[in-house]
Structures are given as C-alpha cells and as structure tokens.
mmCIF file of all heavy atoms in Angstrom:
data_model
loop_
_atom_site.group_PDB
_atom_site.id
_atom_site.type_symbol
_atom_site.label_atom_id
_atom_site.label_comp_id
_atom_site.label_asym_id
_atom_site.label_seq_id
_atom_site.Cartn_x
_atom_site.Cartn_y
_atom_site.Cartn_z
ATOM 1 N N MET A 60 129.676 82.966 116.293
ATOM 2 C CA MET A 60 128.684 82.013 116.595
ATOM 3 C C MET A 60 128.935 80.681 115.951
ATOM 4 O O MET A 60 129.261 80.613 114.757
ATOM 5 C CB MET A 60 127.347 82.580 116.180
ATOM 6 C CG MET A 60 126.146 81.701 116.516
ATOM 7 S SD MET A 60 124.529 82.594 116.322
ATOM 8 C CE MET A 60 124.574 83.486 117.788
ATOM 9 N N LYS A 61 128.797 79.660 116.803
ATOM 10 C CA LYS A 61 129.084 78.259 116.192
ATOM 11 C C LYS A 61 127.809 77.455 116.301
ATOM 12 O O LYS A 61 126.850 77.831 117.009
ATOM 13 C CB LYS A 61 130.066 77.524 117.208
ATOM 14 C CG LYS A 61 131.461 78.256 117.426
ATOM 15 C CD LYS A 61 132.271 77.675 118.404
ATOM 16 C CE LYS A 61 131.762 77.462 119.766
ATOM 17 N NZ LYS A 61 131.934 78.602 120.643
ATOM 18 N N PHE A 62 127.739 76.422 115.515
ATOM 19 C CA PHE A 62 126.513 75.454 115.520
ATOM 20 C C PHE A 62 126.266 74.999 116.818
ATOM 21 O O PHE A 62 125.088 74.807 117.165
ATOM 22 C CB PHE A 62 126.767 74.358 114.405
ATOM 23 C CG PHE A 62 125.512 73.593 114.245
ATOM 24 C CD1 PHE A 62 124.282 74.230 113.878
ATOM 25 C CD2 PHE A 62 125.466 72.090 114.273
ATOM 26 C CE1 PHE A 62 123.138 73.529 113.671
ATOM 27 C CE2 PHE A 62 124.312 71.493 114.132
ATOM 28 C CZ PHE A 62 123.155 72.164 113.707
ATOM 29 N N SER A 63 127.170 74.858 117.758
ATOM 30 C CA SER A 63 126.917 74.236 119.109
ATOM 31 C C SER A 63 126.188 75.262 119.974
ATOM 32 O O SER A 63 125.644 74.921 120.995
ATOM 33 C CB SER A 63 128.257 73.888 119.792
ATOM 34 O OG SER A 63 129.132 75.035 119.837
ATOM 35 N N ASP A 64 126.146 76.599 119.490
ATOM 36 C CA ASP A 64 125.517 77.579 120.169
ATOM 37 C C ASP A 64 123.812 77.302 120.034
ATOM 38 O O ASP A 64 123.069 77.887 120.788
ATOM 39 C CB ASP A 64 125.722 78.924 119.713
ATOM 40 C CG ASP A 64 127.153 79.310 120.025
ATOM 41 O OD1 ASP A 64 127.711 78.859 121.045
ATOM 42 O OD2 ASP A 64 127.715 80.038 119.245
ATOM 43 N N PHE A 65 123.469 76.656 118.987
ATOM 44 C CA PHE A 65 122.106 76.176 118.766
ATOM 45 C C PHE A 65 121.781 74.991 119.447
ATOM 46 O O PHE A 65 121.765 73.895 118.872
ATOM 47 C CB PHE A 65 121.804 76.063 117.217
ATOM 48 C CG PHE A 65 122.151 77.463 116.436
ATOM 49 C CD1 PHE A 65 123.329 77.910 116.223
ATOM 50 C CD2 PHE A 65 120.967 78.214 116.040
ATOM 51 C CE1 PHE A 65 123.478 79.049 115.565
ATOM 52 C CE2 PHE A 65 121.183 79.388 115.375
ATOM 53 C CZ PHE A 65 122.453 79.833 115.238
ATOM 54 N N GLU A 66 121.620 75.078 120.746
ATOM 55 C CA GLU A 66 121.422 73.952 121.700
ATOM 56 C C GLU A 66 120.357 72.971 121.194
ATOM 57 O O GLU A 66 120.507 71.745 121.477
ATOM 58 C CB GLU A 66 121.230 74.455 123.178
ATOM 59 C CG GLU A 66 119.965 75.248 123.475
ATOM 60 C CD GLU A 66 120.153 76.713 123.210
ATOM 61 O OE1 GLU A 66 121.272 77.132 122.879
ATOM 62 O OE2 GLU A 66 119.049 77.342 123.410
ATOM 63 N N ASP A 67 119.178 73.416 120.773
ATOM 64 C CA ASP A 67 118.205 72.462 120.372
ATOM 65 C C ASP A 67 118.572 71.643 119.092
ATOM 66 O O ASP A 67 118.117 70.612 118.860
ATOM 67 C CB ASP A 67 116.841 73.115 120.053
ATOM 68 C CG ASP A 67 116.206 73.787 121.345
ATOM 69 O OD1 ASP A 67 116.761 73.532 122.547
ATOM 70 O OD2 ASP A 67 115.301 74.613 121.214
ATOM 71 N N CYS A 68 119.369 72.297 118.216
ATOM 72 C CA CYS A 68 119.600 71.899 116.884
ATOM 73 C C CYS A 68 120.800 71.004 116.716
ATOM 74 O O CYS A 68 120.788 70.139 115.866
ATOM 75 C CB CYS A 68 119.578 72.938 115.894
ATOM 76 S SG CYS A 68 118.019 74.038 115.990
ATOM 77 N N HIS A 69 121.828 71.354 117.493
ATOM 78 C CA HIS A 69 123.155 70.775 117.100
ATOM 79 C C HIS A 69 123.178 69.188 117.371
ATOM 80 O O HIS A 69 123.920 68.426 116.607
ATOM 81 C CB HIS A 69 124.454 71.369 117.834
ATOM 82 C CG HIS A 69 124.664 70.850 119.083
ATOM 83 N ND1 HIS A 69 124.146 71.250 120.271
ATOM 84 C CD2 HIS A 69 125.722 69.948 119.429
ATOM 85 C CE1 HIS A 69 124.737 70.654 121.334
ATOM 86 N NE2 HIS A 69 125.775 69.876 120.862
ATOM 87 N N SER A 70 122.322 68.646 118.206
ATOM 88 C CA SER A 70 122.236 67.133 118.358
ATOM 89 C C SER A 70 120.966 66.604 117.802
ATOM 90 O O SER A 70 120.605 65.414 118.082
ATOM 91 C CB SER A 70 122.411 66.843 119.828
ATOM 92 O OG SER A 70 121.362 67.404 120.526
ATOM 93 N N CYS A 71 120.234 67.312 117.102
ATOM 94 C CA CYS A 71 118.929 66.922 116.502
ATOM 95 C C CYS A 71 118.999 65.870 115.417
ATOM 96 O O CYS A 71 119.946 66.029 114.445
ATOM 97 C CB CYS A 71 118.206 68.216 115.967
ATOM 98 S SG CYS A 71 116.717 67.756 115.077
ATOM 99 N N ASP A 72 118.175 64.864 115.442
ATOM 100 C CA ASP A 72 118.199 63.769 114.497
ATOM 101 C C ASP A 72 117.487 64.107 113.224
ATOM 102 O O ASP A 72 117.333 63.295 112.286
ATOM 103 C CB ASP A 72 117.855 62.489 115.061
ATOM 104 C CG ASP A 72 116.357 62.461 115.496
ATOM 105 O OD1 ASP A 72 115.665 63.532 115.589
ATOM 106 O OD2 ASP A 72 115.818 61.437 116.001
ATOM 107 N N LYS A 73 116.907 65.388 113.048
ATOM 108 C CA LYS A 73 116.129 65.752 112.027
ATOM 109 C C LYS A 73 116.907 66.914 111.294
ATOM 110 O O LYS A 73 116.336 67.460 110.222
ATOM 111 C CB LYS A 73 114.769 66.157 112.315
ATOM 112 C CG LYS A 73 113.924 65.155 113.036
ATOM 113 C CD LYS A 73 112.541 65.713 113.427
ATOM 114 C CE LYS A 73 112.641 66.572 114.641
ATOM 115 N NZ LYS A 73 111.277 66.800 115.192
ATOM 116 N N LYS A 74 118.103 67.271 111.660
ATOM 117 C CA LYS A 74 118.682 68.549 111.083
ATOM 118 C C LYS A 74 118.995 68.476 109.575
ATOM 119 O O LYS A 74 118.948 69.410 108.867
ATOM 120 C CB LYS A 74 119.871 68.877 111.940
ATOM 121 C CG LYS A 74 121.009 67.943 111.890
ATOM 122 C CD LYS A 74 122.205 68.576 112.638
ATOM 123 C CE LYS A 74 123.313 67.528 112.921
ATOM 124 N NZ LYS A 74 123.140 66.815 114.216
ATOM 125 N N GLU A 75 119.135 67.286 109.050
ATOM 126 C CA GLU A 75 119.469 67.011 107.595
ATOM 127 C C GLU A 75 118.197 67.311 106.820
ATOM 128 O O GLU A 75 118.277 67.568 105.632
ATOM 129 C CB GLU A 75 119.887 65.639 107.297
ATOM 130 C CG GLU A 75 121.352 65.307 107.885
ATOM 131 C CD GLU A 75 121.304 64.734 109.242
ATOM 132 O OE1 GLU A 75 120.145 64.679 109.879
ATOM 133 O OE2 GLU A 75 122.373 64.292 109.729
ATOM 134 N N PHE A 76 117.115 67.313 107.564
ATOM 135 C CA PHE A 76 115.699 67.520 106.852
ATOM 136 C C PHE A 76 115.050 68.780 107.102
ATOM 137 O O PHE A 76 113.983 69.143 106.811
ATOM 138 C CB PHE A 76 114.787 66.304 107.175
ATOM 139 C CG PHE A 76 115.394 65.019 106.867
ATOM 140 C CD1 PHE A 76 116.133 64.271 107.905
ATOM 141 C CD2 PHE A 76 115.350 64.341 105.638
ATOM 142 C CE1 PHE A 76 116.736 63.036 107.707
ATOM 143 C CE2 PHE A 76 115.965 63.209 105.439
ATOM 144 C CZ PHE A 76 116.591 62.584 106.418
ATOM 145 N N CYS A 77 115.707 69.627 107.776
ATOM 146 C CA CYS A 77 115.143 70.948 108.373
ATOM 147 C C CYS A 77 115.616 72.050 107.568
ATOM 148 O O CYS A 77 116.769 72.299 107.236
ATOM 149 C CB CYS A 77 115.765 71.097 109.870
ATOM 150 S SG CYS A 77 115.040 72.546 110.698
ATOM 151 N N SER A 78 114.670 73.003 107.342
ATOM 152 C CA SER A 78 114.968 74.166 106.629
ATOM 153 C C SER A 78 114.775 75.466 107.569
ATOM 154 O O SER A 78 114.218 76.560 107.303
ATOM 155 C CB SER A 78 114.068 74.457 105.443
ATOM 156 O OG SER A 78 112.586 74.370 105.881
ATOM 157 N N ARG A 79 115.295 75.230 108.830
ATOM 158 C CA ARG A 79 115.239 76.319 109.882
ATOM 159 C C ARG A 79 115.613 77.647 109.378
ATOM 160 O O ARG A 79 116.691 77.808 108.756
ATOM 161 C CB ARG A 79 116.105 75.737 110.984
ATOM 162 C CG ARG A 79 116.099 76.641 112.219
ATOM 163 C CD ARG A 79 117.156 76.227 113.232
ATOM 164 N NE ARG A 79 117.163 77.012 114.401
ATOM 165 C CZ ARG A 79 117.685 78.263 114.460
ATOM 166 N NH1 ARG A 79 118.126 78.871 113.440
ATOM 167 N NH2 ARG A 79 117.607 78.986 115.586
ATOM 168 N N SER A 80 114.961 78.664 109.839
ATOM 169 C CA SER A 80 115.283 80.043 109.598
ATOM 170 C C SER A 80 115.352 80.736 110.942
ATOM 171 O O SER A 80 114.390 80.687 111.723
ATOM 172 C CB SER A 80 114.178 80.671 108.769
ATOM 173 O OG SER A 80 114.262 82.040 108.958
ATOM 174 N N SER A 81 116.517 81.433 111.240
ATOM 175 C CA SER A 81 116.660 81.914 112.550
ATOM 176 C C SER A 81 115.725 83.009 112.726
ATOM 177 O O SER A 81 115.153 83.372 113.882
ATOM 178 C CB SER A 81 118.112 82.458 112.759
ATOM 179 O OG SER A 81 118.956 81.310 112.913
ATOM 180 N N GLY A 82 115.371 83.734 111.623
ATOM 181 C CA GLY A 82 114.443 84.881 111.746
ATOM 182 C C GLY A 82 113.065 84.359 112.133
ATOM 183 O O GLY A 82 112.398 84.908 112.997
ATOM 184 N N LEU A 83 112.546 83.379 111.446
ATOM 185 C CA LEU A 83 111.205 82.771 111.722
ATOM 186 C C LEU A 83 111.192 82.223 113.173
ATOM 187 O O LEU A 83 110.311 82.440 113.910
ATOM 188 C CB LEU A 83 110.931 81.645 110.768
ATOM 189 C CG LEU A 83 109.567 81.058 110.878
ATOM 190 C CD1 LEU A 83 108.417 82.084 110.576
ATOM 191 C CD2 LEU A 83 109.387 79.822 109.828
ATOM 192 N N VAL A 84 112.251 81.439 113.606
ATOM 193 C CA VAL A 84 112.416 80.875 114.934
ATOM 194 C C VAL A 84 112.342 82.094 115.888
ATOM 195 O O VAL A 84 111.758 82.063 116.985
ATOM 196 C CB VAL A 84 113.592 80.134 115.128
ATOM 197 C CG1 VAL A 84 113.917 79.803 116.605
ATOM 198 C CG2 VAL A 84 113.574 78.812 114.210
ATOM 199 N N TYR A 85 112.993 83.205 115.690
ATOM 200 C CA TYR A 85 112.967 84.285 116.535
ATOM 201 C C TYR A 85 111.660 84.852 116.635
ATOM 202 O O TYR A 85 111.124 85.209 117.703
ATOM 203 C CB TYR A 85 114.029 85.316 116.044
ATOM 204 C CG TYR A 85 114.085 86.518 117.048
ATOM 205 C CD1 TYR A 85 114.657 86.474 118.164
ATOM 206 C CD2 TYR A 85 113.435 87.705 116.626
ATOM 207 C CE1 TYR A 85 114.667 87.519 119.147
ATOM 208 C CE2 TYR A 85 113.359 88.935 117.555
ATOM 209 C CZ TYR A 85 113.995 88.708 118.862
ATOM 210 O OH TYR A 85 114.065 89.864 119.629
ATOM 211 N N LEU A 86 110.967 84.982 115.567
ATOM 212 C CA LEU A 86 109.528 85.671 115.568
ATOM 213 C C LEU A 86 108.653 84.671 116.405
ATOM 214 O O LEU A 86 107.811 85.168 117.134
ATOM 215 C CB LEU A 86 109.027 85.703 114.230
ATOM 216 C CG LEU A 86 109.484 86.953 113.401
ATOM 217 C CD1 LEU A 86 109.027 86.866 111.963
ATOM 218 C CD2 LEU A 86 109.167 88.313 114.101
ATOM 219 N N ASN A 87 108.730 83.400 116.241
ATOM 220 C CA ASN A 87 107.762 82.410 116.825
ATOM 221 C C ASN A 87 108.270 82.120 118.410
ATOM 222 O O ASN A 87 107.408 81.667 119.137
ATOM 223 C CB ASN A 87 107.809 81.063 116.065
ATOM 224 C CG ASN A 87 107.015 81.256 114.807
ATOM 225 O OD1 ASN A 87 106.151 82.147 114.650
ATOM 226 N ND2 ASN A 87 107.414 80.394 113.798
ATOM 227 N N SER A 88 109.502 82.151 118.748
ATOM 228 C CA SER A 88 109.952 81.670 120.141
ATOM 229 C C SER A 88 110.614 82.875 120.882
ATOM 230 O O SER A 88 110.820 82.759 122.076
ATOM 231 C CB SER A 88 110.908 80.609 119.932
ATOM 232 O OG SER A 88 112.157 80.974 119.511
ATOM 233 N N GLY A 89 111.130 83.860 120.263
ATOM 234 C CA GLY A 89 111.833 84.959 120.950
ATOM 235 C C GLY A 89 113.290 84.608 121.157
ATOM 236 O O GLY A 89 114.066 85.320 121.836
ATOM 237 N N LYS A 90 113.711 83.437 120.695
ATOM 238 C CA LYS A 90 115.110 82.952 120.943
ATOM 239 C C LYS A 90 115.783 82.744 119.460
ATOM 240 O O LYS A 90 115.302 81.995 118.705
ATOM 241 C CB LYS A 90 115.103 81.605 121.632
ATOM 242 C CG LYS A 90 114.926 81.776 123.153
ATOM 243 C CD LYS A 90 115.043 80.443 123.837
ATOM 244 C CE LYS A 90 116.376 79.992 123.817
ATOM 245 N NZ LYS A 90 116.632 78.632 124.452
ATOM 246 N N TYR A 91 116.813 83.637 119.290
ATOM 247 C CA TYR A 91 117.512 83.399 118.022
ATOM 248 C C TYR A 91 118.115 82.103 117.724
ATOM 249 O O TYR A 91 118.139 81.583 116.598
ATOM 250 C CB TYR A 91 118.513 84.591 117.874
ATOM 251 C CG TYR A 91 119.231 84.618 116.519
ATOM 252 C CD1 TYR A 91 118.535 85.174 115.489
ATOM 253 C CD2 TYR A 91 120.494 84.187 116.370
ATOM 254 C CE1 TYR A 91 119.207 85.229 114.236
ATOM 255 C CE2 TYR A 91 121.119 84.198 115.084
ATOM 256 C CZ TYR A 91 120.467 84.814 114.066
ATOM 257 O OH TYR A 91 121.077 84.762 112.734
ATOM 258 N N THR A 92 118.652 81.572 118.755
ATOM 259 C CA THR A 92 119.300 80.207 118.698
ATOM 260 C C THR A 92 118.420 78.986 119.036
ATOM 261 O O THR A 92 118.990 77.922 119.148
ATOM 262 C CB THR A 92 120.651 80.233 119.499
ATOM 263 O OG1 THR A 92 120.292 80.440 120.881
ATOM 264 C CG2 THR A 92 121.560 81.302 119.069
ATOM 265 N N GLY A 93 117.128 79.239 119.273
ATOM 266 C CA GLY A 93 116.253 78.179 119.619
ATOM 267 C C GLY A 93 115.694 77.376 118.525
ATOM 268 O O GLY A 93 116.217 77.297 117.281
ATOM 269 N N SER A 94 114.589 76.797 118.720
ATOM 270 C CA SER A 94 113.800 76.197 117.697
ATOM 271 C C SER A 94 112.334 76.554 117.960
ATOM 272 O O SER A 94 111.918 77.053 118.925
ATOM 273 C CB SER A 94 113.934 74.657 117.765
ATOM 274 O OG SER A 94 113.447 74.182 119.074
ATOM 275 N N ASP A 95 111.499 76.198 116.946
ATOM 276 C CA ASP A 95 110.095 76.388 117.148
ATOM 277 C C ASP A 95 109.276 75.172 116.667
ATOM 278 O O ASP A 95 109.835 74.454 115.778
ATOM 279 C CB ASP A 95 109.500 77.663 116.514
ATOM 280 C CG ASP A 95 109.438 77.564 115.140
ATOM 281 O OD1 ASP A 95 110.587 77.276 114.417
ATOM 282 O OD2 ASP A 95 108.388 77.733 114.442
ATOM 283 N N LYS A 96 108.201 74.980 117.326
ATOM 284 C CA LYS A 96 107.361 73.704 117.094
ATOM 285 C C LYS A 96 107.040 73.446 115.557
ATOM 286 O O LYS A 96 107.136 72.352 114.941
ATOM 287 C CB LYS A 96 106.132 73.704 117.847
ATOM 288 C CG LYS A 96 105.223 72.460 117.684
ATOM 289 C CD LYS A 96 104.015 72.465 118.656
ATOM 290 C CE LYS A 96 103.205 71.145 118.595
ATOM 291 N NZ LYS A 96 103.268 70.380 117.422
ATOM 292 N N HIS A 97 106.658 74.538 114.803
ATOM 293 C CA HIS A 97 106.284 74.396 113.543
ATOM 294 C C HIS A 97 107.487 73.986 112.595
ATOM 295 O O HIS A 97 107.351 73.019 111.820
ATOM 296 C CB HIS A 97 105.750 75.717 113.003
ATOM 297 C CG HIS A 97 105.450 75.631 111.450
ATOM 298 N ND1 HIS A 97 104.255 74.911 111.018
ATOM 299 C CD2 HIS A 97 106.084 76.128 110.328
ATOM 300 C CE1 HIS A 97 104.309 75.062 109.682
ATOM 301 N NE2 HIS A 97 105.306 75.639 109.253
ATOM 302 N N THR A 98 108.693 74.530 112.796
ATOM 303 C CA THR A 98 109.845 74.218 112.024
ATOM 304 C C THR A 98 110.172 72.669 112.342
ATOM 305 O O THR A 98 110.544 71.951 111.519
ATOM 306 C CB THR A 98 111.026 75.149 112.432
ATOM 307 O OG1 THR A 98 110.661 76.425 112.028
ATOM 308 C CG2 THR A 98 112.243 74.700 111.630
ATOM 309 N N CYS A 99 110.216 72.368 113.562
ATOM 310 C CA CYS A 99 110.526 70.916 113.965
ATOM 311 C C CYS A 99 109.475 69.912 113.445
ATOM 312 O O CYS A 99 109.903 68.809 113.045
ATOM 313 C CB CYS A 99 110.614 70.791 115.538
ATOM 314 S SG CYS A 99 111.951 71.853 116.109
ATOM 315 N N ASP A 100 108.205 70.319 113.583
ATOM 316 C CA ASP A 100 107.138 69.477 112.955
ATOM 317 C C ASP A 100 107.344 69.203 111.500
ATOM 318 O O ASP A 100 107.278 68.073 110.990
ATOM 319 C CB ASP A 100 105.792 69.968 113.271
ATOM 320 C CG ASP A 100 105.321 69.890 114.579
ATOM 321 O OD1 ASP A 100 105.978 69.242 115.431
ATOM 322 O OD2 ASP A 100 104.297 70.561 114.988
ATOM 323 N N VAL A 101 107.638 70.221 110.725
ATOM 324 C CA VAL A 101 107.760 70.165 109.325
ATOM 325 C C VAL A 101 109.017 69.253 109.021
ATOM 326 O O VAL A 101 109.053 68.405 108.145
ATOM 327 C CB VAL A 101 108.047 71.491 108.615
ATOM 328 C CG1 VAL A 101 108.330 71.529 107.145
ATOM 329 C CG2 VAL A 101 106.623 72.223 108.683
ATOM 330 N N ALA A 102 110.166 69.438 109.680
ATOM 331 C CA ALA A 102 111.404 68.618 109.534
ATOM 332 C C ALA A 102 111.052 67.151 109.865
ATOM 333 O O ALA A 102 111.482 66.284 109.140
ATOM 334 C CB ALA A 102 112.543 69.099 110.400
ATOM 335 N N GLY A 103 110.206 66.927 110.836
ATOM 336 C CA GLY A 103 109.748 65.532 111.124
ATOM 337 C C GLY A 103 109.041 64.913 110.091
ATOM 338 O O GLY A 103 109.291 63.695 109.675
ATOM 339 N N ILE A 104 108.057 65.709 109.421
ATOM 340 C CA ILE A 104 107.333 65.059 108.264
ATOM 341 C C ILE A 104 108.190 64.917 107.038
ATOM 342 O O ILE A 104 108.124 63.755 106.557
ATOM 343 C CB ILE A 104 106.284 66.229 107.966
ATOM 344 C CG1 ILE A 104 105.261 66.242 109.047
ATOM 345 C CG2 ILE A 104 105.601 65.828 106.645
ATOM 346 C CD1 ILE A 104 104.324 67.395 108.983
ATOM 347 N N VAL A 105 109.195 65.788 106.836
ATOM 348 C CA VAL A 105 110.090 65.575 105.710
ATOM 349 C C VAL A 105 110.905 64.247 106.000
ATOM 350 O O VAL A 105 111.111 63.447 105.045
ATOM 351 C CB VAL A 105 110.925 66.793 105.428
ATOM 352 C CG1 VAL A 105 111.995 66.510 104.433
ATOM 353 C CG2 VAL A 105 110.109 68.011 105.027
ATOM 354 N N LYS A 106 111.475 64.110 107.175
ATOM 355 C CA LYS A 106 112.171 62.947 107.492
ATOM 356 C C LYS A 106 111.511 61.631 107.271
ATOM 357 O O LYS A 106 111.842 60.655 106.687
ATOM 358 C CB LYS A 106 112.746 63.022 108.926
ATOM 359 C CG LYS A 106 113.545 61.841 109.304
ATOM 360 C CD LYS A 106 114.127 62.005 110.729
ATOM 361 C CE LYS A 106 114.959 60.695 111.136
ATOM 362 N NZ LYS A 106 115.433 60.824 112.461
ATOM 363 N N ASP A 107 110.168 61.638 107.845
ATOM 364 C CA ASP A 107 109.260 60.453 107.768
ATOM 365 C C ASP A 107 109.024 60.128 106.190
ATOM 366 O O ASP A 107 109.090 59.005 105.821
ATOM 367 C CB ASP A 107 108.006 60.703 108.484
ATOM 368 C CG ASP A 107 108.121 60.702 110.010
ATOM 369 O OD1 ASP A 107 109.275 60.356 110.490
ATOM 370 O OD2 ASP A 107 107.256 61.142 110.556
ATOM 371 N N MET A 108 108.722 61.203 105.447
ATOM 372 C CA MET A 108 108.512 60.889 103.975
ATOM 373 C C MET A 108 109.818 60.311 103.381
ATOM 374 O O MET A 108 109.666 59.266 102.593
ATOM 375 C CB MET A 108 108.109 62.202 103.253
ATOM 376 C CG MET A 108 106.797 62.722 103.642
ATOM 377 S SD MET A 108 106.360 64.352 103.034
ATOM 378 C CE MET A 108 106.481 64.019 101.201
ATOM 379 N N TYR A 109 110.982 61.002 103.712
ATOM 380 C CA TYR A 109 112.186 60.270 103.184
ATOM 381 C C TYR A 109 112.435 58.860 103.524
ATOM 382 O O TYR A 109 112.705 57.997 102.714
ATOM 383 C CB TYR A 109 113.428 61.210 103.686
ATOM 384 C CG TYR A 109 114.726 60.591 103.260
ATOM 385 C CD1 TYR A 109 115.325 60.708 101.972
ATOM 386 C CD2 TYR A 109 115.457 59.829 104.169
ATOM 387 C CE1 TYR A 109 116.423 60.165 101.596
ATOM 388 C CE2 TYR A 109 116.701 59.341 103.896
ATOM 389 C CZ TYR A 109 117.254 59.463 102.554
ATOM 390 O OH TYR A 109 118.416 58.910 102.126
ATOM 391 N N LEU A 110 112.219 58.577 104.703
ATOM 392 C CA LEU A 110 112.385 57.209 105.193
ATOM 393 C C LEU A 110 111.334 56.237 104.574
ATOM 394 O O LEU A 110 111.687 55.134 104.260
ATOM 395 C CB LEU A 110 112.283 57.077 106.819
ATOM 396 C CG LEU A 110 113.443 57.918 107.540
ATOM 397 C CD1 LEU A 110 113.348 57.869 108.993
ATOM 398 C CD2 LEU A 110 114.954 57.273 107.064
ATOM 399 N N SER A 111 110.187 56.673 104.450
ATOM 400 C CA SER A 111 109.158 55.750 103.963
ATOM 401 C C SER A 111 109.423 55.575 102.431
ATOM 402 O O SER A 111 109.043 54.464 101.890
ATOM 403 C CB SER A 111 107.763 56.391 104.172
ATOM 404 O OG SER A 111 107.415 57.504 103.288
ATOM 405 N N GLU A 112 109.915 56.559 101.707
ATOM 406 C CA GLU A 112 110.265 56.340 100.298
ATOM 407 C C GLU A 112 111.467 55.434 100.161
ATOM 408 O O GLU A 112 111.601 54.737 99.165
ATOM 409 C CB GLU A 112 110.533 57.671 99.644
ATOM 410 C CG GLU A 112 109.232 58.472 99.358
ATOM 411 C CD GLU A 112 109.382 59.790 98.578
ATOM 412 O OE1 GLU A 112 110.589 59.928 97.997
ATOM 413 O OE2 GLU A 112 108.528 60.604 98.553
ATOM 414 N N LYS A 113 112.338 55.487 101.033
ATOM 415 C CA LYS A 113 113.565 54.752 101.028
ATOM 416 C C LYS A 113 113.385 53.296 101.362
ATOM 417 O O LYS A 113 114.037 52.454 100.841
ATOM 418 C CB LYS A 113 114.512 55.266 102.146
ATOM 419 C CG LYS A 113 116.057 55.060 101.907
ATOM 420 C CD LYS A 113 116.872 55.800 102.796
ATOM 421 C CE LYS A 113 118.125 54.915 103.119
ATOM 422 N NZ LYS A 113 118.872 55.339 104.171
ATOM 423 N N SER A 114 112.213 52.915 102.096
ATOM 424 C CA SER A 114 112.090 51.507 102.473
ATOM 425 C C SER A 114 111.223 50.764 101.398
ATOM 426 O O SER A 114 110.563 51.329 100.535
ATOM 427 C CB SER A 114 111.457 51.439 103.924
ATOM 428 O OG SER A 114 110.156 52.165 103.742
HETATM 429 S S1 SF4 B 107 114.725 73.529 114.280
HETATM 430 FE FE1 SF4 B 107 114.023 71.579 115.250
HETATM 431 S S2 SF4 B 107 114.101 70.070 113.545
HETATM 432 FE FE2 SF4 B 107 115.355 71.812 112.944
HETATM 433 S S3 SF4 B 107 117.397 71.345 113.563
HETATM 434 FE FE3 SF4 B 107 116.520 72.524 115.214
HETATM 435 S S4 SF4 B 107 115.654 71.161 116.659
HETATM 436 FE FE4 SF4 B 107 115.998 70.022 114.740
#
C-alpha cells in the first residue's frame, strides 16, 4: 500500500497537521483509505491555530 492509495489525503493541504487513524476513519466512513469529516475538521483547526500563531 502506498500513500497515493489514500486518494483524499495524498494531495491534502492539511496533512502535516493531521493525526489521521485508518481504524477511526474505517469506523466512521467504512473506507480504510478514505477520510472522515471529524478528522479533517480537527486537522483544519490545528492548521489554523499554527498559522495564526506564526503570523
Ligand atoms: S484525513 Fe483529511 S485532513 Fe487528514 S490528510 Fe486526509 S484529507 Fe487531509
């Protein structure tokens, strides 16, 4: 399995801030290589906090 198999994630601009768990994503979405709204929302919040502290 390669990172490119995770189609939602490999080009995501929040991946550096994401603590994605394939098990949690599978439970929430039924797709092992997908993403789920909660995980993406948390990554977005972490990214926003990082950028606001940096500016
Ligand atoms: S789970 Fe969501 S926020 Fe995390 S890398 Fe994948 S698409 Fe991006």
Side-chain angles (χ1 to χ4, degrees):
M60 184 167 278
K61 303 176 299 279
F62 190 50
S63 59
D64 294 329
F65 294 76
E66 61 276 356
D67 293 345
C68 303
H69 91 275
S70 62
C71 174
D72 65 354
K73 297 180 284 193
K74 60 179 172 267
E75 291 92 355
F76 306 93
C77 183
S78 57
R79 182 189 182 283
S80 157
S81 290
L83 186 61
V84 168
Y85 181 74
L86 284 174
N87 289 333
S88 72
K90 285 183 67 182
Y91 185 76
T92 59
S94 62
D95 73 299
K96 182 177 180 339
H97 177 74
T98 300
C99 297
D100 286 350
V101 171
I104 291 167
V105 173
K106 180 179 180 178
D107 289 347
M108 289 173 63
Y109 172 79
L110 293 176
S111 70
E112 285 184 14
K113 203 174 153 196
S114 60

